Amino acid sequence: MQSTIQIRVRYAETDQMRRAYHANYLIWFEAARINLMREYGISYASLEKEGYYLPVVQAHVNYRSPANFDDLIMIEARIEKQPKAKITINYQVKNENGQLIADGFTLHSFMNEDGKPVRPPQRFTTIVSQNLAENKNAG
Amino acid sequence: MQSTIQIRVRYAETDQMRRAYHANYLIWFEAARINLMREYGISYASLEKEGYYLPVVQAHVNYRSPANFDDLIMIEARIEKQPKAKITINYQVKNENGQLIADGFTLHSFMNEDGKPVRPPQRFTTIVSQNLAENKNAG
Amino acid sequence: MQSTIQIRVRYAETDQMRRAYHANYLIWFEAARINLMREYGISYASLEKEGYYLPVVQAHVNYRSPANFDDLIMIEARIEKQPKAKITINYQVKNENGQLIADGFTLHSFMNEDGKPVRPPQRFTTIVSQNLAENKNAG
Amino acid sequence: MQSTIQIRVRYAETDQMRRAYHANYLIWFEAARINLMREYGISYASLEKEGYYLPVVQAHVNYRSPANFDDLIMIEARIEKQPKAKITINYQVKNENGQLIADGFTLHSFMNEDGKPVRPPQRFTTIVSQNLAENKNAG
């Protein structure tokens, strides 16, 4: 269960080391994560309207090679395991030559509007389990 | 009616031109604006809890001289005119030598939670008119 | 002389007013400006490699209607006048329905690596004057 | 070897979940890291002028409790181990009540202007080893 987005590194995202500033990778991870959900029929905007939030409870990034201004980079987001109380999403960032320049993961909890932990919405877990099963069968 | 904050330019705020990225000045303006309100007894956080929002409807910045990483800069926010439907706030950014490096203004409307324009809260206009009057008398 | 890019509003770009934070419009303007230059054969990344920089000396934004998380918005950048020592770029931001949600401009100087003002590169002024002339003739 | 800075959460740093956006913690970590170095006599700005850079090669954050707009938060940066080719810095973020709201670490390499890995500057390792030794003796 995966999807990839392409992003062009903005001037605003560079720092005086002349590369993309490291905190931006978390923002790119998020854009890839929201796109992944959209491609599998789950609009994160709708989830919030239904009262579900997915705050980040853990984030990790390995920076392997710099991304530079105006580079076209690919960010792949991937769900590998069925969510329980929490869900892990994995990421790979590649440059135009397909070279891995960063990877990492985010761990999310499901939360309601009052900030209380809740179970993931049924629709969400169903979609994930179906897609992980298909993938396994296909594999 | 004015107040000044001091900010240290963050590495995250630089770009590959080796200076503070221009959009950050709007963020610094905001920090100065919120501090101005706080110093005059108006917590912007409380205003929102009471259902008032002050979205920016116009913003203008003149960049006169760069701000660099680790510079200590001063941002002054100033209210000069009584708010009606809208309120203008003026800003000056100075470096440690007192040199003006940027100035500008933001124009804000008052809005309720539904996004509808509303009159400024009574408490707000009273505080502003008292302080502008005192200033005038003192002047 | 104009070009338009499409951007999806990132979660990172929202604030607690539940809309895109106002400073991001300057970042979107920039993405549109760099794309405009690219489409007319001027890579801003190459300009910098040749020793030319285009710092922002003035920026102005009118916010007309909010942009929200996950919205697809269009940002048009437009050059209307031949650059002299400085160049003005105009912007319009529209939502998916074609509604104007913001407009503004940035004014830029040309600068060398030492931060000194310089004339715009010959190649740049030639491309702009050719395209403005064609446009006028076509009009 | 540690130091703590105080930061007020900016409106710009919130997102529509009505809390500080998660990528900002990396920016706060950095502000604390640069302050730590400054307090021990190492200006990061000077390091760069001498041709040393400390890019982030790994970053990790555990988000334990949200930070909200206008909160005053404390960020502690700490060096616990002598740097070799790389240096680890640990962080703790606390709210005004002293409650731990996040922690994490960043791992940095030392790099020259050409992006090649280099040994940490002698001055840097000396300062760290002296302070770690004193601490150990004091402990």
Side-chain angles (χ1 to χ4, degrees), chain B residues 30 33 37 44 47-48 52-57 87 89 107-111 121 124, chain C residues 17 19, chain D residues 11:
Chain B
E30 182 173 70
R33 174 168 77 241
M37 291 170 64
Y44 182 69
L47 268 190
E48 285 205 351
Y52 290 100
Y53 296 81
L54 270 99
V56 181
V57 293
I87 181 166
I89 306 186
L107 179 69
H108 302 256
S109 62
F110 293 87
M111 192 181 83
F124 187 93
Chain C
M17 224 179 275
R19 46 174 69 188
Chain D
Y11 203 88

Side-chain angles (χ1 to χ4, degrees), chain B:
Chain B
M1 193 174 170
Q2 66 186 61
S3 96
T4 300
I5 56 163
Q6 193 182 48
I7 273 180
R8 195 179 278 280
V9 177
R10 298 174 176 178
Y11 203 88
E13 292 172 336
T14 64
D15 64 23
Q16 69 179 34
M17 224 180 275
R18 303 188 65 78
R19 46 174 69 188
Y21 182 71
H22 68 284
N24 291 310
Y25 289 69
L26 291 182
I27 296 173
W28 301 338
F29 283 4
E30 182 173 70
R33 174 168 77 241
I34 283 163
N35 188 62
L36 169 69
M37 291 170 64
R38 183 186 297 110
E39 287 197 0
Y40 284 86
I42 309 158
S43 149
Y44 182 69
S46 315
L47 268 190
E48 285 205 351
K49 274 168 199 153
E50 296 163 21
Y52 290 100
Y53 296 81
L54 270 99
V56 181
V57 293
Q58 216 176 102
H60 186 88
V61 191
N62 302 305
Y63 303 90
R64 302 184 181 283
S65 196
N68 298 308
F69 166 58
D70 224 31
D71 282 358
L72 274 172
I73 55 170
M74 316 292 285
I75 302 111
E76 184 200 78
R78 217 166 54 247
I79 297 177
E80 293 172 352
K81 277 186 303 189
Q82 185 66 20
K84 300 198 175 171
K86 287 179 180 140
I87 181 166
T88 300
I89 306 186
N90 295 288
Y91 309 90
Q92 290 201 323
V93 184
K94 292 182 177 166
N95 64 16
E96 276 189 278
N97 306 322
Q99 188 198 354
L100 182 70
I101 58 172
D103 54 11
F105 70 87
T106 53
L107 179 69
H108 302 256
S109 62
F110 293 87
M111 192 181 83
N112 67 15
E113 283 185 75
D114 304 323
K116 302 290 171 212
V118 290
R119 291 195 182 185
Q122 187 60 48
R123 184 163 62 91
F124 187 93
T125 49
T126 306
I127 287 173
V128 175
S129 64
Q130 280 175 348
N131 283 287
L132 291 181
E134 279 172 27
N135 222 303
K136 208 177 171 182
N137 295 340

